[in-house]
Each structure stands twice: as structure tokens, then as C-alpha cells.
């Protein structure tokens, strides 16, 4: 069950998804969302009292965290794990600044495709995901929440890796990924309305809308790139990320009913 937040967008508890041997992902353990910059007292209370939040993992760039710092949730620790090396200027990151700088739908789509391919090929991204997995192994109780800016791309590949390890089907992983378009519907409309008032052209607004939404084609790029580079998405996790089969079993024991 997902509780009603007032200022936290694109939130879901991955509990209840069916994993290895029909065992379900435990509720109140694995959470994903957009950033926590606008949390109010009500939202903080839910994360504290209902989810017993232990870890907040922020996948945004340093610039994003400075411009919109997360609201602190007492009782939890905060870990910033920027997916992208600071010296890679011009690299597709999916940051809010990049999304709003798109000039055409085609440009936005190409940026997103490049971004998703980099989730597999970039050694920094692989290192960050390994750090997340190691933190999950060291968390026997309470919830871990990971997020980026909108909670769709960097948070999406992180969820895909974790759910794959837990034995969740690709179809269910895709369904969770695509849920962003519904869960961020109102927030995206607000962004587009604001940009329209600022004078963005219809073409630019179409580009931004494209970048604000998820497309199963994007996540599929991760699977196809992983197959090309490592033989399969599972082998990408084992060889590319460096998370072996024994650790898969440990994670399943911690996070499956």
C-alpha cells in the first residue's frame, strides 16, 4: 500500500511485486521517488512513522542537490551518489536543466537514448549501483529510498537492477517503470504550464514533455546494451556491476517474503 503524500511525486513502495520462487518483495523496504526537496511535515511523518526510513540515496548531480536540497527526514541517513563524473561536461544526465534545454522532440529522444545506454557502459554508474546494492545488503530492517530529480531515469535503472536480482519478471519491471507517466502526470503538467508562461515555443514544449515522460523503448535500451556488452542483463549485474550470485541470494533473503 502506498500512502498519500502531499509534496512527494512519483513515489512507490516496491513491496508486493512477485519475485524469485513466487515470493513477494517485502513492503516498506524498497522505495523509489522523485526528489525530496519539497517534503512537508505530513510527508516527513509518513516516511518516519509508516516506512521507518533508514537511508535516502540521492542520485542527482552535485548541481541539482545544491539547487534543490532534500528535506531532512529524522532517523534516516543521507547519501549522495552522483551517477555522473563531474568532469564529463555535456554528457546526457537527465537533469532538470538538460530536460528544459531541449529544442525538439527528436533531440530529447536522442538524449534519453544516450542516457540509457550510458547506464550500462559508464563505469561510474556501475560503481554507484554497486554501492547501492552493498548498502541494501547492510540494511536488515527499515526502508531505503532512492531518487533522482523526477524519479524516472536514474531511479528507474536502479529499480530495474534491484528487481532483476530479486527475480521480478521483466514485464513487471517494465510496468513499474511505465507507472511514472501516471504518477508524474500532474507534476509534469505544472512544469509545462510554467514553461509556456515563460515563452517556450510549442516545439520546445513538445521536447520537454518528451523528456519528462518515460518510454519503454528507453529502458529496453539498457537490456539490449547489456546483452551486447555482457551477454545479458543478469550478466551485466554480475560482471559489470560486480554483484555475484551469492550476493543475489543474500539480497533475496533480506527483501523477499
Amino acid at each position: 500500500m502506498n500512502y498519500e503524500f502531499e509534496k512527494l511525486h512519483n513515489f512507490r513502495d516496491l513491496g508486493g511485486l512477485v519475485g524469485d520462487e513466487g515470493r513477494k518483495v517485502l513492503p516498506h523496504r524498497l522505495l523509489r521517488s522523485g526528489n525530496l526537496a519539497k517534503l512537508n511535515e505530513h510527508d516527513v511523518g509518513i516516511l518516519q512513522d509508516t516506512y521507518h526510513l533508514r537511508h535516502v540515496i540521492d542520485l542527482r548531480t552535485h548541481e541539482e542537490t545544491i539547487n534543490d536540497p532534500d528535506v531532512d527526514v529524522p532517523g534516516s541517513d543521507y547519501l549522495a551518489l552522483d551517477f555522473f563524473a563531474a568532469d564529463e561536461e555535456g554528457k546526457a544526465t537527465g537533469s532538470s536543466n538538460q530536460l528544459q534545454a531541449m529544442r525538439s522532440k527528436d533531440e530529447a529522444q536522442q538524449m534519453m537514448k544516450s542516457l540509457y545506454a550510458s547506464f550500462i557502459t559508464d563505469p561510474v554508474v556501475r560503481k554507484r549501483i554497486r554501492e547501492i546494492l552493498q548498502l541494501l545488503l547492510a540494511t536488515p530492517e527499515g526502508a531505503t529510498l532512492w531518487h533522482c530529480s523526477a524519479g524516472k531515469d536514474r531511479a528507474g535503472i536502479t529499480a530495474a537492477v534491484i528487481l532483476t536480482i530479486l527475480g521480478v519478471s521483466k514485464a513487471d519491471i517494465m510496468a513499474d517503470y511505465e507507472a511514472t507517466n501516471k504518477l508524474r502526470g500532474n507534476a509534469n503538467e505544472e512544469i509545462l504550464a510554467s514553461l509556456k508562461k515563460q515563452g517556450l515555443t510549442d516545439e520546445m514544449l513538445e521536447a520537454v514533455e518528451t523528456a519528462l515522460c518515460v518510454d519503454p523503448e528507453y529502458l529496453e535500451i539498457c537490456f539490449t546494451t547489456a546483452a551486447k556488452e555482457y551477454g545479458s542483463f543478469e550478466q551485466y549485474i554480475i560482471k559489470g556491476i560486480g554483484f555475484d550470485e551469492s550476493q543475489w541470494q543474500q539480497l533475496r533473503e533480506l527483501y523477499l517474503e
Side-chain angles (χ1 to χ4, degrees):
M1 178 178 180
N2 289 339
Y3 292 80
E4 193 70 31
F5 289 94
E6 295 175 351
K7 298 294 183 178
L8 180 59
H9 296 297
N10 205 12
F11 172 89
R12 55 246 201 220
D13 180 348
L14 300 180
L17 290 173
V18 178
D20 184 56
E21 297 183 341
R23 300 162 66 193
K24 292 184 178 180
V25 179
L26 285 165
H28 297 192
R29 295 282 276 138
L30 299 171
L31 316 177
R32 56 174 291 191
S33 73
N35 72 71
L36 312 186
K38 294 180 171 61
L39 292 185
N40 59 20
E41 185 177 348
H42 168 83
D43 294 346
V44 169
I46 292 175
L47 291 173
Q48 278 185 296
D49 302 333
T50 300
Y51 289 100
H52 306 290
L53 190 64
R54 295 290 177 266
H55 309 295
V56 173
I57 303 173
D58 191 341
L59 308 177
R60 296 177 297 168
T61 64
H62 178 68
E63 180 183 9
E64 288 175 298
T65 62
I66 293 299
N67 291 339
D68 284 303
D70 279 354
V71 171
D72 179 58
V73 179
S76 67
D77 57 61
Y78 171 86
L79 181 63
L81 292 179
D82 184 352
F83 258 34
F84 304 104
D87 60 352
E88 295 190 60
E89 186 175 353
K91 182 181 180 69
T93 65
S95 70
S96 54
N97 286 343
Q98 280 193 345
L99 296 182
Q100 295 180 25
M102 296 295 100
R103 292 295 181 266
S104 70
K105 181 177 180 179
D106 286 345
E107 183 182 353
Q109 289 175 329
Q110 288 306 309
M111 186 200 77
M112 299 308 295
K113 291 176 181 180
S114 174
L115 172 65
Y116 277 78
S118 78
F119 289 151
I120 306 302
T121 60
D122 191 317
V124 175
V125 174
R126 298 199 301 270
K127 179 176 184 291
R128 293 293 184 250
I129 295 177
R130 183 169 63 251
E131 290 175 300
I132 294 167
L133 295 174
Q134 294 294 347
L135 180 62
L136 292 179
L137 284 178
T139 308
E141 59 183 21
T144 297
L145 181 151
W146 62 91
H147 73 83
C148 45
S149 181
K152 62 188 186 71
D153 305 315
R154 290 162 286 187
I157 183 60
T158 300
V161 168
I162 293 168
L163 294 176
T164 296
I165 293 170
L166 295 179
V168 175
S169 71
K170 183 178 175 182
D172 285 347
I173 291 171
M174 281 291 188
D176 170 69
Y177 173 73
E178 292 183 69
T180 281
N181 288 338
K182 178 179 180 180
L183 294 171
R184 277 200 57 84
N186 291 338
N188 288 348
E189 288 178 7
E190 290 176 7
I191 291 171
L192 292 169
S194 175
L195 293 175
K196 186 174 184 178
K197 288 181 179 178
Q198 295 175 34
L200 268 67
T201 65
D202 289 343
E203 185 178 26
M204 292 167 67
L205 288 171
E206 183 182 34
V208 173
E209 183 175 16
T210 297
L212 287 173
C213 296
V214 299
D215 187 321
E217 180 184 2
Y218 300 152
L219 189 57
E220 190 62 48
I221 286 171
C222 290
F223 288 100
T224 56
T225 304
K228 179 181 178 181
E229 297 290 330
Y230 296 98
S232 68
F233 194 71
E234 290 78 7
Q235 287 300 309
Y236 151 71
I237 297 171
I238 293 168
K239 297 177 181 178
I241 293 174
F243 200 73
D244 64 33
E245 290 96 330
S246 66
Q247 292 171 308
W248 286 47
Q249 292 304 318
Q250 292 174 45
L251 204 71
R252 289 175 178 182
E253 289 306 308
L254 282 171
Y255 292 93
L256 293 177
E257 292 182 322

